[in-house]
Every structure is written in C-alpha cells, then in structure tokens.
Amino acid sequence: MPEPTKKDETPNGQPEDEDDAAATTPSPTPQPEEANTLKKLSIELPNDSVPLPEMGRKDSVWSLGDGQAPEDLDKPIDTPPRSTLLIESPQSASMAVGGDISFVAKVEAKDLLRKPTVKWFKGKWMDLASKTGKHLQLKETFDRQTKIHTFEMHIIKAKENYAGNYRCEVTYKDKFDSCSFDLEVKEAETGSQNIDIRSAFKRSSEGQEDAGELDFSGLLKHREPKQQDDAPDVDVWEILKNARPDQYEKIAFMYGITDLRGLLRRMKKIPKEEKKSEAFAKKLEPAYQVDKGGKIRLVVDLADPTVELKWYKNGQEIRPSPKYIFEHKGTQRIMVINNCSMNDDAAYSVAAGDEKCATELFVKELPVKIVKGIEPVKTTVNERIELECEVSEEGAQVKWMKNGVEVPTGVRSRYRVKSEGTKHFLVIDDASREDTGTYSLMASGGTSEAHVKVDLKPLKIYQDLQDMTVKLGQPLKLHCEIYPGNVPGRWYRNGQLIQPNDRITIIHRNKVHRLEIEASSLHDAGDYTFVPEGYSQSLSAKIHIIDPPRVHLDSLNFPDNMVTIVAGNKLRLEIPISGEPAPRVVWMKGERVILESGHRVRAETYGDQTSLTIDITEREDSGNYKIVLQNEAGEATASVKIKVVDIPDPPEAPLVPVVGGDWCSMTWEPPKYDGGSPILGYFIERKKKQSSRWMRLNFDLIKETSFEPKKMIEGVPYEVRIFAVNAIGVSKPSEPSKAFTPLAVTSEPTMLVVDDVTDTTVTVKWRPPETIGAAGLDGYIVEYCIEGANDWVVSNTELTEKTKYTITGLTPGSKILVRVRAINAAGASPPRTLQHSVLVKEVIEPPKIRVPRHLKQTYTRRVGEAVNLVVPFMGKPRPKVTWLKEGNPIEPTHVSIRNTDCDSIIFIRKAERSHSGKYEMTVQVENHVDTAIIDIQIVDLPGPPQCVTIEDVWGGNVALVWTPPKDNGNSPITGYTIQKADKKTMEWFTCIEHYHRTCITITELVVGNEYFFRMYSENMCGLSEAATQTKKSALIVKEGISPHDTAQHQYHAQPHSFTLPPTGMQMKTHEFNDRDFKEAPKFTQPLINTFAIAGYNATLNCSVRANPRPKVIWMKNKIAILDDPRYRMFSNQGVCTLEIRKPSPYDGGMYTCKAINDLGEAQVDCKLEVKGGFTFYELMQRGVPLHLIDKYMNEHKIVEQEK
C-alpha cells in the first residue's frame, strides 16, 4: 500500500483530492503556530475540497465577516432565537445559464401586528437588496383573505457566477427564522486556462454596465477580458507574506480574491526564514510515522535544561501514563508513545516557556486479509439470513457491500452488523425478495463475496374482502388476511391505484392487510381490489355509499351556532342542507312547528338550503330553533340559537353601606334583564337631596358593581342613581338611593405610650386626635392582641372618654400589641398602634426616693398647724415603705402615714413641739433599699427674757441688760422688742424692734420722767406672749436738783455707777447731730446664673440696701414682669426673691432685678437656662401664644449654636 498521509475528510466522509492532502502535510518552514493555524483553516473550510458533482455548485463562497481571524472560525456565530415564522421556505434548484428562476418565501400574518422584515443574502453577509437591477428583482405581496405575506426573489438571465448558497432571513420583534438554499447554474465544460487571479476574482464596480449583477465570487475560468483601470500593479503575494494570518481574509476581500483555500495552500508552500529558537537547540521533526501497535519516540533538544516543558496533543496537555512516558537525557526531552492506535494519529506540540514547536504523527495501518470467505445462501422470504466472514486481524475495519453498494447499518436499517473476534457477521432478520443479490466484505487486504437468493412462499388466503354499505362520512375499513404475512400489496379502486394520505390509511401487519378511510365520501364508492406483490392472485369487494341528510351549520360562521340580532330588525337565516334524496325539512321552536305560511315568522325550503324569516324581532323570539331533516337514508337534526338583544332594564336602587368625610361607598345589583347582551358597565350620577340637577360622576364605564364617589361636602345629604350599559345602549336610570350625609371619622389618636405594666395589667395613655370632624368625638376603644396573632380583643366594652386606660386580666409573661381608635358618629378612626410589643411582666425597678426640694432642708411649722408632707418615690413592683423617728417606730396615734404606689404622705393634724425630730423614710423593693431623712421642726412663740435690769442711768439715757428667755419656742431667737412706759400714765411705747443683742442704751428720755421698761423676745413665730418688766424704775433727773430731793421718788438699780453733781453745779449736755441714714440702692448680693429643671420650681435671690425703702422691679429679657401668675415676687429685709413656678424652656432667658428710690437706682442680671425642653406641639397644648413660641424656638436655636 502507498505511504499513508495526514488526511482531511469532508463532512460527507470523502477524502479531499491530492492537492489538499499535500497541503495538509506540515512543512518545516513555517513556525509551529502558523502551521497549526493553516491546518485549522483547512479543516474549517471544507467546501473547496468537495468535488463539483457532490457539491452541486460551480464554485464555493467564503465569507467569515469583516475582521474575523482564522482562529475564530470554530466559534459559534450569535443569531437571534429561532422561531417558526416561515410557513413555506425557498428550495434549492438548478438551472441553465441564461435562464430565469424564482424563489418564494411565505410568512403567515395571523399573529403578527405588522409586516415582518425579510432579507435575502448570498453567502453569509452579502445583502442582495443593494444588488437589485436587470438581473435581480425582489417582490412582496399580501393576501388579505389568507393573511399570508409572500416574498419572491427573481433571477433573470442567470450567469455562471450566480451559483452558490443563498439565505432568506425573517425577523419580527424578538422572533427570528431563516432558511438556506443552493442554486446550481449548469454550463458546458471548458478547459481552464492560466489567468490573472486578480482579474478572475475582481468584483464589478458600481456604475458599470453590469452593476447589480450577483458577481460575488470570481470563477477560476477564462472570461472575456475587460478594460482594466489604470491602477498601479500590486504584488498581492508580497502583502500576504508580510501579514498576520487573521488579516488574510480582509486582504483577499480588498483585492477581490475569493479562493481562500487555494490561497492558504499556496501561502503554506512559500518557504519562510526560520527564526532561531532561544528555548530549543533542536526542535521536533515536521512529521513522524509509526505502524499501528508500534512505539514512537518524539525528541527535542533544549537550549536551557531548566525550562519547564509541556507536551500537547491536539491542543490538550498530555499527562504521564503507561501510554505516554517522559524521559530526560541531558538536554534531551523524550516522549514515548506506546501501542500506537489510530487515535494517536494527531498533531503534537511541545511548549518550553513562551516558545512552541509542533509536529504530526501518522499511524500506518497494516492491511487486513480474508481468512475465511462468505458462503452463498438460498432461502425464502421472512427467513433469517446470516453471512459470516473471518479476517486476519481482530477489531479490523471492514465494509459490507451489496451489489457494489455499501450496506446501510443505521438504527432503522434492516441490516445488522456484528463482530466476534476476527469473525464478522451480516444479519438480515426478516428477509424479503429485495435482499436477493451479491454480498461482499471489503477489507484493506482483500475482498470476499457470495450470492444470496430469496424466493417467495406460496400464497394462501385466510380471509377475503367483503362487500360493504357505508353511510357518507362514516369510516370505511377493508380487511383481508393472506399468507405469507410479509408480502406487501397494492390497493386499487375502480382500477386506479390508491395512495395513502391524511384521509386514507394503508396498514400491513404480518398476515393482515387493511385499508381504512377516515370519513367516506360519495367518491369512495366502487370496486376495490387488493393485489399481493409478486403474485398473480387478487382479492375484490364492492363498496356502496349512502348519503343521509345533514345540516351544514358551519357555513353560518356564528360561534356556538348563535345568531344575535337587535330587537326591531328583520332576521333572515339561510342554512345549507344536503341529502340524497332531498330531505323533508321541519323548523320547530320548542313544541311549536313553524309553517311556511306564517306571517311574522315563517320557514322556507328550496334547493339545497332552508331559511327562517322573522320580519320584526322581539325579545320573545330568543331561544333554540330545531331543524329536523328526514329522507330514506336517515334523519338529521340541528339547533340554532337566536338571541334578540335590547337595552338592559334599569338596575335597582343602589345601597350606600359606608359613608366617609367627603366620600361614600355604594353597591348595587346588576339589572334583572341585561337585554340579551352582557353588561359592559355602568354610569353613576349624584345630586344633592334639595337639588334637581343630576351630575355624572364617570365618563368611562365602571365594570364592577361598586363605586366610591368623592369630593362631597361634609354634612350635606346626597342621592345617587345608576345607568346600565350594554352593546345596544344605555338603560333608564335606577331609582335614587336613600339619602345619606357624609361624615368624617377623626384622625388617629396621637402620642400613644405605655404608662405602667404589672403582671396582669398594662396601662396606656394617649393624646386626642389632631383632626376632629363635624361628627365630634364620642370616646375611645382600646384593643389588644397577642403578638404573632391577628385577633384583636376589645378591652373596654363601653367607650371611654379619658385618654388613659388600664387593660386588665392579662396573662403574665405574654407579649401584647395595643392600639386605640377614636369613635364618633361616622365610625372608628384609623388605629394608633404601639410601635413595639409590651411584655406583661412587672419590671423590677430599684426604689428611688425623690425628696422634694423644700424637704431637703429643715421643714418648719408652728404649733397647731397641720403638717402634710408628700414624698414621691419610684420602684416596681410596689415598694414597701417604712417610717422611723429618731430610730424608733412612729406611733400611728400621733402621726398619720398613708402610702400609695408612687408616694408616701405623712400627716399631723395639729403639730406639737414633741413632733419635732428627724424622720427616716425607707423604701424597699426586694433586696433594693433607698432611704431619706426628713427634718421636721415644730416651733412656738418664745418665752419672755428671764431678767431685765437697769444697769445705768445718765442724762437722758438708760442702759438695760437682760438674759435670753429660757424657752426659745424651739426656734432661734431672732430679736427683741423693748418698750417704755411713763410711771404716771403706764402707757407702753415701743422703743426699738428686732434688736439682736442682750444689752441696749435707751436715749432721748424726757428729763424728769420716771420710766419702767419691759422686753419681748422674738423668733420666727413672732413675739412672746408675755414680757419681762424691770422691777425698778429709772428717773431722769433734772439738772441742779439735789439727789436728796429726789431720793424719795426714785430707785437706782446701781447707785454706785453714777454721782449726782454737787449742789449748785450744772451738768453740761453735749449736742449730737442725727446721722443721715439715707442712701441710694446698692446690691450687696448679686444674682447668679442658674440652671433649672423643666417642671420644677426655680428661685432667683439677691439682696439690696437702700434708704428709703426702694421699689423692686423684676424683668425678663428687659421686659417687666407684671401680673403673671407663673411668677411670685418677695422682698423681706432687703432680700429680693423671684419664684418661677414649674418653668418650661420658654422661661429661660436673661432676668434682671432693678431697685429704685429717690436717691438713685441699681440693677443686677443673671441668666436662667431650663433643661428638658418642650416641643412645638407641647407648647401649643399649654396655650402659649404663637409669637412667643416662635421667639422661644429662635432663642433655642441660638443657644444650640453657641454650644
């Protein structure tokens, strides 16, 4: 056998010609990558290698798209999704040169909203729309009856180069369909001549004489030379040699060269300079050859032994295995392939770093010889035939032939091929006469043949054909049984061969032969004959067809045989009928027969049709009409429904179940009679009850039986009515609805919060709704539900008017959601729901006593006054409160104590001095304890001073000395009041008040008078009830009087402390000027900046000295505070106090105290900041004017910015 070469096979399995085979042999000149590229191109472009008779076309068309590299040829081309738009596709055809031909494509427009887009292409990319002219015409038409678009392409006076592959593409929105077909243009064979390749392949330019011709591909044949342009000569080969492989297609297209395969073969044969490799000292040989089953060694010599080496087979990396063994010998790298098979016939490459070298391995197959030939066979039909042949090699490839043609062995073939070792078998299970012939087995080393003869078996008739009478339209079945069963046959009717189609089915199963006609017609009557193939005998039967009467309602084209007509119009209904003989026709409605002599309704029959006429249709004419046909062959009935349509009856008065603030919800029932046509919708009208003008609310029909009129005036009564509309018209209006008045529900309650939680109760509070309509507010409903459920339980059976409510009877440990609705005459408002669920469990809150500010100091009360102290505290669950006085329990008979959940009250109806002391309050929750001490001081009037004596008398002065009172009234002595009385009158006059010392000199006494003195002690309760009087009097002696003259009238408490002047001497009295105590106001203690807590009283204090007593004015932000109940002003002994009751952030600002008298004025300032501000809404709730709120908000922003 000749040396095997690397073969490229076409899709049809035929080898290419010798030039192609030679072109695929690797050349040592190109680089490995280029060699692989060329090989890949030769595989992916098989059309050029197929002989002309097999291709059915003169030349091949190549086009891969602009710029597509040869490496991308195997990549799929993206196309839109395929769909079945074409109902008729253009078919491949052949024609002679100069002839005309048309290709037709049809698209059904039944489901298309517009015309689809159709494009005709030659090859892969040439759009023929730009090539229309005298040789090419495109036409499109549309049939309105069949709704089919027809697209035609006419080729006129075809030329040789028109042959090729064409494509028709149809697109519609996202749908796509295409069809390819071939055109073969036949001509007489002519010898080829050497011509210029550019001249042969150059395309005709636009504007020339043959513009518009399909000169897509040049033909490699002699053509009449045309006058060439005066363009400079270009060396195309030189350009191709210097270009990359992915540019070959672009260059060929540019210079009009279409034979890309031939071009690549020639390029492959052009020697190229081999670049010196940096990685390989010696590369692989261009090709290797090995016998099948042998071993081959592929050797490369590396320039750098350390470089990583990888071997590839057809681009896939080879891993070490018993099949492939890798060896290292110095710089040589060897791959050994053991037991070579035909699968090893492939392209191999080795990569060292970034460099590659490639080769091809050819596996030589040894010839297979015939060891034992085929023996001849003689048998009959339906028998099994088995031909056996033995060859020299196990697993050899052989071919079974019949009469020189290869035997088909597909899945559906009658022939089966099998092999057992070196033996090969051809099996025919059910032999027939066609199997007679010469069978041969072809191996590479020889051929064996034998003759097989199959004869017929003798024919036996088990069941003959039977005469039959069949009604028209009924199935016709002819049946016979013959032996042998595998004998085919032909059916004849009246001597004409019967071919199977959609209506006629011919069945052959073993011995049984059947002819079945799905629906018999009059043409099916006649003589039927079955002739077994290969036999002279035949079977016959006579078939007679009768035609019973029938009513052809399909011709009416009415759905469900229903005829619809508007009341008052004329109806004439014509129905085709058939039957032989002519049937008798009777029209009936119910049990009443319609006669031909009727006046308004009559029936008529003539020829092949019958008619029903109603001159003026009425509602009562609606119903089922029955047609009865009778003749000798049978009876037929049919029904026609006649529907007389009219405008519908008016609906009943609508109902208004729900009324809102400016809307309502209305419902109604459809009219009892819809006029025989479905109700399309309704019109709604509305009017005020006092008005007579109706206003339509909708201009588009309402499909539903409910509607919500809007934009009504709250508190005004309205009425609504309905019109029903069908395809015929508008009904009369319904009766008006009952009058209704729109009322709005309130908005949802606001600021819903949890106030308290115990083990079984939850207390919530909220604010009233922001919007309350004309219906007012009746109360609230409180609802709760367990978390995770949707069952809301109403907690209060009766409405509550309060904004606080306690839900009782809850399960400890459960989580509930709470919501509140506001109720008025319009209904319930939208609910206000707590944002988070509430755990029904008493939360342990450590106790905390919040001692009021005034109790943090000693609490003072007078004897006899009531003591009522409220000490708030916090803690959950309810804390345990105990009171101790000086460490001892409090006697409940003396002091009354009452405890609540949040405070403790200590009450003394009439305070006594014994109630004074330190009271210790203890609040305990489980292990948590908090204590507070309250100091209570009960004060009384003090007693009088213990002893008052006259210490000295001189001139008009008397010095008094006394001791403090024994009983100070449980309060410090704040001063004394000294009074004097002349002994003659004993009228007491106050000398001085609020004196603090225990000694004093009384001046400006009248000389000659004798005085007694008494003294009251004073504490915070006031002056003592009694006074202590001097036991002796003080005589103010006149000057020049001897003491003896007065000895009998006066008593000196301390006579040794002064001496009377000698007789005749006068005492000089010094004159003293009175001190002027007047002064302008001066603040001795200024105001200080203060922080206050919102809701707790705050005080501002300062002290001023002035004489006369000044007028004190308090100002806030330089505006005087006058008659404001939130402020209280005190002034005592020069101490000025301003008390601000429960301040809010609005009360913060700059406060000024100003003192004014006749001598001048003075002022001091301080800044008050209130923490815990209020929102705009809270200020509105408190009744603060808007201008003050705006001012407060602006001041608050300024303070925040300063921070």
Side-chain angles (χ1 to χ4, degrees):
M1 294 181 66
E3 285 287 322
T5 59
K6 183 67 179 179
K7 300 175 286 298
D8 288 330
E9 293 189 354
T10 64
N12 296 331
Q14 299 295 331
E16 296 183 346
D17 55 21
E18 295 178 359
D19 290 342
D20 293 344
T24 57
T25 303
S27 175
T29 302
Q31 293 297 327
E33 293 85 347
E34 297 176 356
N36 290 341
T37 302
L38 295 177
K39 180 178 180 180
K40 188 173 184 179
L41 283 174
S42 65
I43 293 174
E44 295 297 332
L45 297 172
N47 292 343
D48 288 346
S49 60
V50 181
L52 291 177
E54 294 180 12
M55 288 296 296
R57 47 192 289 187
K58 183 68 177 179
D59 61 340
S60 61
V61 177
W62 62 269
S63 177
L64 303 177
D66 291 343
Q68 186 177 8
E71 291 81 355
D72 299 334
L73 295 179
D74 56 347
K75 295 182 180 179
I77 300 176
D78 294 335
T79 59
R82 296 293 299 272
S83 62
T84 55
L85 291 174
L86 291 170
I87 61 174
E88 181 178 334
S89 304
Q91 304 295 325
S92 300
S94 62
M95 61 181 297
V97 175
D100 299 342
I101 192 168
S102 298
F103 295 95
V104 180
K106 293 186 179 181
V107 179
E108 186 175 7
K110 182 178 180 181
D111 299 327
L112 307 183
L113 300 179
R114 58 179 176 82
K115 184 183 74 174
T117 302
V118 175
K119 292 185 179 181
W120 299 84
F121 294 90
K122 183 176 183 187
K124 290 189 177 180
W125 57 268
M126 183 178 180
D127 191 351
L128 299 181
S130 62
K131 298 294 182 179
T132 56
K134 63 181 181 180
H135 291 284
L136 174 66
Q137 296 180 1
L138 303 179
K139 182 181 178 182
E140 55 185 59
T141 57
F142 177 66
D143 190 343
R144 297 186 178 275
Q145 293 184 353
T146 60
K147 295 184 178 180
I148 293 177
H149 291 280
T150 303
F151 300 91
E152 302 179 20
M153 181 179 71
H154 301 287
I155 298 178
I156 304 169
K157 296 181 179 180
K159 296 185 178 181
E160 299 165 356
N161 61 336
Y162 290 5
N165 179 259
Y166 291 80
R167 187 172 77 259
C168 176
E169 291 186 357
V170 183
T171 56
Y172 176 77
K173 292 185 177 179
D174 57 344
K175 298 181 179 180
F176 172 80
D177 200 356
S178 68
C179 175
S180 297
F181 57 95
D182 293 330
L183 173 62
E184 179 184 3
V185 181
K186 299 180 179 179
E187 65 171 352
E189 295 290 339
T190 59
S192 60
Q193 300 179 8
N194 294 328
I195 62 172
D196 180 19
I197 189 169
R198 292 183 59 200
S199 300
F201 287 90
K202 186 158 186 170
R203 296 165 295 173
S204 60
S205 60
E206 296 182 5
Q208 294 182 359
E209 181 181 355
D210 58 349
E213 297 181 2
L214 303 182
D215 192 8
F216 172 71
S217 61
L219 303 175
L220 296 178
K221 67 181 184 62
H222 177 69
R223 300 180 61 185
E224 290 296 328
K226 294 186 179 180
Q227 184 177 356
Q228 301 293 331
D229 297 336
D230 296 334
D233 293 336
V234 179
D235 190 353
V236 179
W237 301 116
E238 192 65 29
I239 296 175
L240 291 171
K241 285 191 291 184
N242 298 328
R244 299 192 309 272
D246 61 346
Q247 296 179 343
Y248 291 166
E249 180 184 359
K250 183 177 180 181
I251 295 171
F253 178 77
M254 183 183 301
Y255 292 99
I257 300 173
T258 58
D259 190 4
L260 183 59
R261 291 296 298 271
L263 179 68
L264 295 178
R265 295 191 201 104
R266 182 169 178 180
M267 287 295 298
K268 194 172 182 181
K269 295 177 182 179
I270 296 176
K272 293 186 179 180
E273 295 182 2
E274 184 175 359
K275 296 180 182 179
K276 186 176 181 181
S277 173
E278 296 180 359
F280 297 100
K282 182 180 178 182
K283 296 185 178 180
L284 295 171
E285 296 296 331
Y288 293 86
Q289 180 173 309
V290 65
D291 290 337
K292 183 178 179 182
K295 180 172 70 173
I296 187 70
R297 291 161 57 90
L298 305 182
V299 182
V300 294
D301 199 347
L302 297 179
D304 182 6
T306 61
V307 72
E308 183 181 357
L309 203 70
K310 291 186 178 180
W311 293 84
Y312 296 91
K313 173 185 176 182
N314 291 336
Q316 299 293 327
E317 185 177 355
I318 302 175
R319 301 292 183 182
S321 65
K323 175 81 172 175
Y324 301 98
I325 300 174
F326 299 102
E327 298 179 358
H328 291 192
K329 289 185 180 180
T331 60
Q332 289 186 348
R333 300 294 183 264
I334 305 169
M335 181 177 71
V336 180
I337 305 176
N338 295 316
N339 192 19
C340 293
S341 63
M342 298 306 296
N343 292 333
D344 297 321
D345 190 306
Y348 292 83
S349 62
V350 58
D354 296 334
E355 291 193 28
K356 286 185 179 180
C357 65
T359 187
E360 294 192 37
L361 176 62
F362 298 91
V363 180
K364 181 180 178 181
E365 189 174 4
L366 298 176
V368 179
K369 298 181 179 180
I370 303 296
V371 177
K372 181 180 179 182
I374 308 173
E375 296 181 358
V377 176
K378 185 176 182 181
T379 184
T380 59
V381 294
N382 300 331
E383 298 296 334
R384 186 175 184 271
I385 301 176
E386 183 175 309
L387 303 180
E388 178 182 350
C389 182
E390 186 176 353
V391 297
S392 61
E393 183 178 342
E394 184 175 349
Q397 297 292 330
V398 299
K399 285 186 180 181
W400 287 93
M401 313 289 287
K402 175 186 177 184
N403 298 329
V405 179
E406 184 177 0
V407 175
T409 58
V411 177
R412 299 182 180 180
S413 176
R414 299 176 55 252
Y415 302 95
R416 289 190 299 110
V417 175
K418 65 178 181 177
S419 62
E420 296 177 0
T422 59
K423 294 182 179 181
H424 293 263
F425 302 90
L426 175 65
V427 179
I428 306 174
D429 289 326
D430 190 6
S432 63
R433 294 191 64 184
E434 288 78 8
D435 296 328
T436 300
T438 301
Y439 289 80
S440 61
L441 182 139
M442 295 180 61
S444 59
T447 302
S448 175
E449 64 179 24
H451 184 73
V452 175
K453 184 177 181 182
V454 181
D455 295 328
L456 291 174
K457 294 181 178 180
L459 180 66
K460 296 181 181 179
I461 300 175
Y462 291 157
Q463 182 176 346
D464 202 351
L465 296 177
Q466 303 293 329
D467 296 340
M468 298 178 65
T469 300
V470 181
K471 290 185 178 180
L472 183 66
Q474 295 296 320
L476 171 61
K477 297 182 180 180
L478 296 176
H479 175 90
C480 66
E481 292 185 15
I482 61 175
Y483 179 82
N486 61 345
V487 176
R490 296 187 179 184
W491 292 85
Y492 295 88
R493 179 177 61 240
N494 298 329
Q496 299 292 328
L497 179 64
I498 300 175
Q499 296 290 349
N501 53 34
D502 295 340
R503 195 173 62 90
I504 300 175
T505 304
I506 297 177
I507 301 174
H508 176 200
R509 292 179 181 174
N510 297 328
K511 303 176 184 179
V512 178
H513 292 264
R514 289 207 304 268
L515 172 67
E516 296 182 357
I517 300 177
E518 183 177 353
S520 61
S521 63
L522 296 176
H523 301 289
D524 295 328
D527 295 329
Y528 284 77
T529 304
F530 175 72
V531 179
E533 187 173 345
Y535 294 92
S536 59
Q537 294 176 267
S538 63
L539 293 81
S540 301
K542 182 179 289 292
I543 304 300
H544 178 63
I545 303 297
I546 62 174
D547 184 12
R550 285 184 295 170
V551 182
H552 303 281
L553 295 178
D554 297 339
S555 61
L556 295 178
N557 290 329
F558 291 130
D560 299 331
N561 296 330
M562 178 179 288
V563 181
T564 303
I565 188 171
V566 179
N569 293 339
K570 180 179 180 179
L571 171 65
R572 180 176 177 83
L573 184 61
E574 296 181 351
I575 300 176
I577 59 175
S578 63
E580 186 63 31
R584 175 175 172 269
V585 181
V586 177
W587 284 82
M588 302 178 66
K589 182 183 180 184
E591 300 297 330
R592 181 171 62 88
V593 178
I594 300 175
L595 304 176
E596 296 183 0
S597 59
H599 296 286
R600 190 176 65 86
V601 181
R602 59 186 178 275
E604 299 174 348
T605 301
Y606 48 89
D608 57 352
Q609 67 179 12
T610 181
S611 65
L612 173 67
T613 304
I614 304 176
D615 290 334
I616 301 175
T617 55
E618 300 175 354
R619 289 187 181 181
E620 292 74 14
D621 294 330
S622 297
N624 288 333
Y625 289 78
K626 185 178 181 181
I627 310 171
V628 180
L629 279 69
Q630 294 179 345
N631 67 358
E632 297 177 358
E635 178 178 323
T637 61
S639 296
V640 178
K641 297 180 181 178
I642 296 179
K643 185 178 182 181
V644 181
V645 295
D646 200 353
I647 61 172
D649 289 344
E652 295 183 358
L655 303 176
V656 184
V658 181
V659 180
D662 62 346
W663 60 276
C664 71
S665 175
M666 55 182 294
T667 60
W668 62 90
E669 294 294 333
K672 295 181 179 179
Y673 177 66
D674 60 0
S677 177
I679 299 298
L680 301 179
Y682 302 89
F683 286 120
I684 293 91
E685 290 186 350
R686 178 188 72 198
K687 78 174 183 68
K688 298 177 183 178
K689 185 176 181 181
Q690 297 82 1
S691 174
S692 60
R693 185 173 67 90
W694 290 90
M695 180 178 68
R696 179 161 291 184
L697 301 182
N698 64 308
F699 294 97
D700 295 330
L701 290 176
I702 296 175
K703 308 292 184 181
E704 298 80 11
T705 57
S706 61
F707 187 68
E708 290 187 1
K710 298 180 179 179
K711 297 183 179 180
M712 292 186 285
I713 303 174
E714 187 175 0
V716 176
Y718 287 89
E719 293 178 346
V720 290
R721 66 182 184 182
I722 310 296
F723 294 85
V725 181
N726 65 3
I728 309 305
V730 182
S731 71
K732 295 181 180 180
S734 67
E735 291 295 327
S737 66
K738 293 183 180 179
F740 60 92
T741 303
L743 292 174
V745 298
T746 67
S747 62
E748 65 270 13
T750 60
M751 300 177 65
L752 176 63
V753 295
V754 178
D755 188 55
D756 190 20
V757 179
T758 67
D759 287 338
T760 58
T761 65
V762 172
T763 302
V764 294
K765 59 182 180 180
W766 61 90
R767 294 278 186 176
E770 295 182 358
T771 303
I772 299 176
L777 177 61
D778 297 337
Y780 302 93
I781 286 180
V782 181
E783 299 174 308
Y784 70 92
C785 77
I786 305 300
E787 185 181 25
N790 293 325
D791 299 331
W792 290 91
V793 180
V794 178
S795 180
N796 54 325
T797 55
E798 297 181 359
L799 296 180
T800 176
E801 297 180 357
K802 298 180 181 180
T803 58
K804 183 176 181 180
Y805 186 79
T806 300
I807 304 173
T808 60
L810 300 176
T811 303
S814 61
K815 288 186 177 182
I816 65 169
L817 292 172
V818 183
R819 68 182 185 186
V820 180
R821 295 176 181 266
I823 308 298
N824 63 3
S829 71
R832 171 67 71 177
T833 309
L834 287 175
Q835 294 183 353
H836 305 285
S837 60
V838 181
L839 178 63
V840 183
K841 182 179 180 181
E842 190 91 37
V843 179
I844 297 177
E845 181 179 343
K848 177 67 177 178
I849 301 174
R850 306 185 67 88
V851 180
R853 183 176 298 177
H854 66 282
L855 295 181
K856 292 182 179 180
Q857 301 174 355
T858 302
Y859 181 77
T860 306
R861 280 292 182 269
R862 295 185 180 181
V863 174
E865 292 182 347
V867 176
N868 189 11
L869 302 182
V870 179
V871 182
F873 56 82
M874 298 186 302
K876 289 186 178 181
R878 180 174 178 174
K880 179 181 179 182
V881 183
T882 58
W883 287 88
L884 298 176
K885 178 185 177 185
E886 306 295 345
N888 299 318
I890 298 175
E891 290 292 336
T893 56
H894 296 164
V895 179
S896 176
I897 296 176
R898 183 166 59 90
N899 299 323
T900 65
D901 293 343
C902 58
D903 56 26
S904 180
I905 302 174
I906 181 170
F907 177 73
I908 303 175
R909 187 176 298 277
K910 289 184 179 181
E912 299 178 359
R913 295 271 295 274
S914 59
H915 293 148
S916 300
K918 294 185 181 295
Y919 290 77
E920 181 180 359
M921 177 183 178
T922 303
V923 179
Q924 182 177 2
V925 175
E926 295 185 355
N927 296 329
H928 304 280
V929 179
D930 191 17
T931 60
I933 296 177
I934 309 297
D935 189 3
I936 299 177
Q937 183 179 6
I938 307 300
V939 299
D940 198 359
L941 296 175
Q946 296 185 23
C947 179
V948 180
T949 58
I950 298 174
E951 188 179 38
D952 197 1
V953 178
W954 72 94
N957 305 311
V958 174
L960 300 177
V961 178
W962 66 90
T963 57
K966 185 177 181 180
D967 182 10
N968 61 358
N970 204 23
S971 175
I973 299 298
T974 58
Y976 300 91
T977 299
I978 299 96
Q979 294 181 345
K980 64 182 178 179
D982 190 355
K983 186 177 181 182
K984 297 177 182 180
T985 61
M986 289 307 291
E987 293 182 3
W988 295 94
F989 297 95
T990 300
C991 298
I992 190 170
E993 295 178 330
H994 312 303
Y995 189 74
H996 298 284
R997 299 180 182 179
T998 57
C999 61
I1000 191 173
T1001 299
I1002 306 299
T1003 61
E1004 299 181 357
L1005 297 176
V1006 180
V1007 177
N1009 291 346
E1010 187 176 357
Y1011 293 92
F1012 285 97
F1013 300 91
R1014 69 178 182 183
M1015 191 170 300
Y1016 291 90
S1017 58
E1018 182 181 6
N1019 64 4
M1020 61 180 300
C1021 294
L1023 298 176
S1024 59
E1025 295 180 353
T1028 302
Q1029 183 178 337
T1030 57
K1031 295 181 179 180
K1032 296 180 180 181
S1033 63
L1035 176 62
I1036 306 303
V1037 181
K1038 295 181 180 180
E1039 295 180 0
I1041 299 179
S1042 173
H1044 299 284
D1045 297 332
T1046 59
Q1048 58 180 347
H1049 302 289
Q1050 63 180 356
Y1051 174 79
H1052 301 284
Q1054 294 179 351
H1056 61 276
S1057 62
F1058 62 90
T1059 56
L1060 294 175
T1063 304
M1065 295 181 66
Q1066 295 182 353
M1067 183 177 64
K1068 293 182 179 181
T1069 305
H1070 299 280
E1071 295 182 359
F1072 298 96
N1073 295 326
D1074 293 337
R1075 177 178 175 83
D1076 188 4
F1077 288 97
K1078 294 182 179 180
E1079 63 176 327
K1082 179 180 179 181
F1083 283 92
T1084 59
Q1085 177 65 37
L1087 293 172
I1088 60 175
N1089 295 336
T1090 306
F1091 288 92
I1093 304 300
Y1096 292 89
N1097 293 353
T1099 57
L1100 302 178
N1101 300 288
C1102 63
S1103 62
V1104 65
R1105 185 176 69 230
N1107 193 11
R1109 184 175 182 179
K1111 179 181 180 183
V1112 178
I1113 301 175
W1114 286 90
M1115 293 181 289
K1116 175 190 175 185
N1117 296 332
K1118 298 183 180 180
I1119 299 176
I1121 300 174
L1122 301 174
D1123 299 331
D1124 193 332
R1126 294 185 296 115
Y1127 298 95
R1128 293 173 62 187
M1129 291 168 280
F1130 307 95
S1131 180
N1132 185 15
Q1133 299 293 324
V1135 178
C1136 303
T1137 303
L1138 175 66
E1139 181 181 0
I1140 307 172
R1141 304 178 61 184
K1142 295 183 179 180
S1144 66
Y1146 163 77
D1147 295 317
M1150 187 65 69
Y1151 283 82
T1152 304
C1153 181
K1154 188 174 184 180
I1156 304 174
N1157 66 3
D1158 295 338
L1159 300 180
E1161 64 181 35
Q1163 68 179 32
V1164 289
D1165 302 324
C1166 75
K1167 183 179 180 181
L1168 174 65
E1169 184 175 348
V1170 181
K1171 295 184 178 180
F1174 293 97
T1175 62
F1176 180 86
Y1177 178 73
E1178 291 172 339
L1179 294 175
M1180 287 291 292
Q1181 292 282 8
R1182 287 171 170 263
V1184 180
L1186 286 176
H1187 69 280
L1188 296 180
I1189 295 177
D1190 183 61
K1191 183 177 180 181
Y1192 159 69
M1193 290 296 180
N1194 293 334
E1195 292 176 354
H1196 188 67
K1197 290 180 180 178
I1198 294 173
V1199 171
E1200 292 294 333
Q1201 293 175 359
E1202 290 177 354
K1203 291 181 179 179

